[in-house]
Amino acid sequence: MSDTIDLTTLSVDPAAWTCPAPLRDQSRIVMGHGGGGTLSAELVRHVFAPAFGGDALAQLGDSAALSLGGVRLAFSTDSFVVRPMFFPGGSIGDLAVNGTVNDLAMSGARASYLSCGFILEEGVEMERVARVADALGRAARVAGVEVATGDTKVVEAGHGDGIFINTAGVGLIPDGVDLRPQRVVPGDVVIVSGPIGVHGVAILSVREGLEFGVEIESDCAALGGLVETMLAVTPDLHVLRDPTRGGLAAALNEIATASGTGVVVTEREIPVPQAVAGACAVLGLDPMYVANEGKLVAFVPREHADAVLEAMRAHPLGLESRIIGEAVAVHPGMVVARTGLGGTRVVDMPIGEQLPRIC
């Protein structure tokens, strides 16, 4: 039997899928609602968006691009509940800075100011709070952003998990920069900035006490400088995304759906570290769905792709950047992967999250 499928006859509708438990009609919140996949999207679309309204919210991007006082700025907020708080390559403090800085960078903005809200559980050790605060401060200085305001709340013992953090940030969008999925057109080249799946596997290894023969460190990093390097080549990048919850698969599906184009990637071109591939094989995970915290995916006009790729590889956070695919006119809204055997498989939007509490 051939593993080649007729892409023109396929459609993706989670409502038509069969599962022992309902996927869409949930009367209570489940962990999957926080996973960055289909359930998250439905929660936003059917509960939050109708309640809040507004054109700015309708963008539903990593950050909102706004006009205020004659300037264009990006505004974003994110909450961090990672477990454990400290992991190889970072901590909840690093994530709280880099996650919001990166969301702003995906709009082309260099973060200027952050707010920081701590929700502390009664009984958490003061030493742990201080360690997280120190890590957050160091990450902010590395990213070149200032924590300008904040808030602290304490909840009763048993009503939290030690430390939760919320950060919000603002930054200016340079003139001529317009990054949004609606600008993607067939022929755009898809570039990923480096190996995928590292953060999620790093979290899992310490959470579950798993040994993979080599320590896997999170790729947690601030991407503002890399984005500036790319925009210096051309401001005419079409869209950027940092593939966090839901991994590369979720980011590509979001872009395909919003742009109305199809996306084709070549599996053998997707950089997956050997340690991540081995861990995922043992655990039954797909690296394309595992979270990252220091990578981006870019859709770039073909005429600029080589120059942008060269600039990315000259930056410390883009040394292993690679072209992995392209946007196409066929199968709009769908992502497919060419396999190493010469076949093709659909890369669906994840329903929930393979690994909860990873950011």
Side-chain angles (χ1 to χ4, degrees):
M1 178 181 295
S2 171
D3 61 352
T4 301
I5 57 177
D6 183 358
L7 301 174
T8 62
T9 65
L10 291 177
S11 62
V12 178
D13 180 12
W17 296 350
T18 301
C19 181
L23 297 176
R24 298 164 73 93
D25 298 327
Q26 299 281 350
S27 61
R28 298 179 183 272
I29 293 294
V30 297
M31 289 300 294
H33 283 116
T38 300
L39 289 177
S40 291
E42 292 183 347
L43 179 65
V44 172
R45 186 182 310 119
H46 299 303
V47 177
F48 297 137
F52 303 156
D55 294 336
L57 181 63
Q59 300 174 33
L60 295 180
D62 288 328
S63 61
L66 309 170
S67 294
L68 185 65
V71 299
R72 295 178 65 226
L73 57 84
F75 178 44
S76 184
T77 186
D78 207 344
S79 299
F80 301 88
V81 297
V82 64
R83 181 170 58 87
M85 277 184 260
F86 302 94
F87 47 84
S91 71
I92 191 173
D94 300 282
L95 285 175
V97 171
N98 295 335
T100 295
V101 165
N102 291 347
D103 284 347
L104 295 173
M106 298 307 104
S107 290
R110 184 65 179 257
S112 297
Y113 297 101
L114 296 181
S115 69
C116 179
F118 275 78
I119 300 175
L120 308 175
E121 183 183 14
E122 180 186 22
V124 66
E125 300 89 343
M126 190 67 72
E127 182 271 340
R128 290 174 70 82
V129 177
R131 283 181 63 193
V132 170
D134 287 344
L136 193 153
R138 286 194 303 271
R141 289 188 288 274
V142 170
V145 64
E146 180 179 348
V147 179
T149 187
D151 181 55
T152 304
K153 294 291 188 295
V154 177
V155 298
E156 297 88 345
H159 289 75
D161 193 10
I163 301 173
F164 295 155
I165 303 176
N166 172 272
T167 51
V170 294
L172 296 178
I173 300 175
D175 292 339
V177 174
D178 183 16
L179 296 172
R180 50 193 173 89
Q182 291 77 14
R183 296 195 63 218
V184 172
V185 296
D188 280 357
V189 171
V190 182
I191 302 175
V192 67
S193 65
I196 65 168
V198 181
H199 176 73
V201 173
I203 294 292
L204 184 64
S205 66
V206 292
R207 181 187 297 171
E208 304 300 337
L210 301 176
E211 297 286 345
F212 298 118
V214 60
E215 183 176 74
I216 301 173
E217 290 194 356
S218 170
D219 58 347
C220 184
L223 297 171
L226 177 60
V227 172
E228 287 185 348
T229 296
M230 298 166 68
L231 292 173
V233 175
T234 174
D236 190 30
L237 307 179
H238 284 172
V239 69
L240 302 176
R241 282 289 168 89
D242 57 334
T244 53
R245 295 176 305 166
L248 180 63
L252 293 176
N253 272 278
E254 289 170 357
I255 293 169
T257 299
S259 66
T261 65
V263 176
V264 176
V265 296
T266 301
E267 279 189 338
R268 67 179 60 183
E269 296 300 328
I270 299 173
V272 180
Q274 184 175 355
V276 170
C280 287
V282 169
L283 299 170
L285 304 176
D286 184 337
M288 287 190 68
Y289 292 88
V290 179
N292 314 271
E293 286 293 345
K295 300 297 185 299
L296 63 80
V297 58
F299 282 63
V300 180
R302 185 170 295 278
E303 61 267 27
H304 300 308
D306 289 341
V308 170
L309 181 63
E310 182 179 0
M312 293 175 70
R313 287 176 171 172
H315 191 279
L317 295 179
L319 295 174
E320 298 181 70
S321 297
R322 189 177 299 181
I323 294 174
I324 62 169
E326 64 180 335
V328 296
V330 295
H331 54 81
M334 182 183 295
V335 180
V336 300
R338 296 191 179 103
T339 69
L341 298 176
T344 309
R345 69 180 179 95
V346 175
V347 180
D348 295 319
M349 184 72 168
I351 293 297
E353 186 173 25
Q354 294 185 113
L355 307 173
R357 301 283 300 277
I358 48 77
C359 65

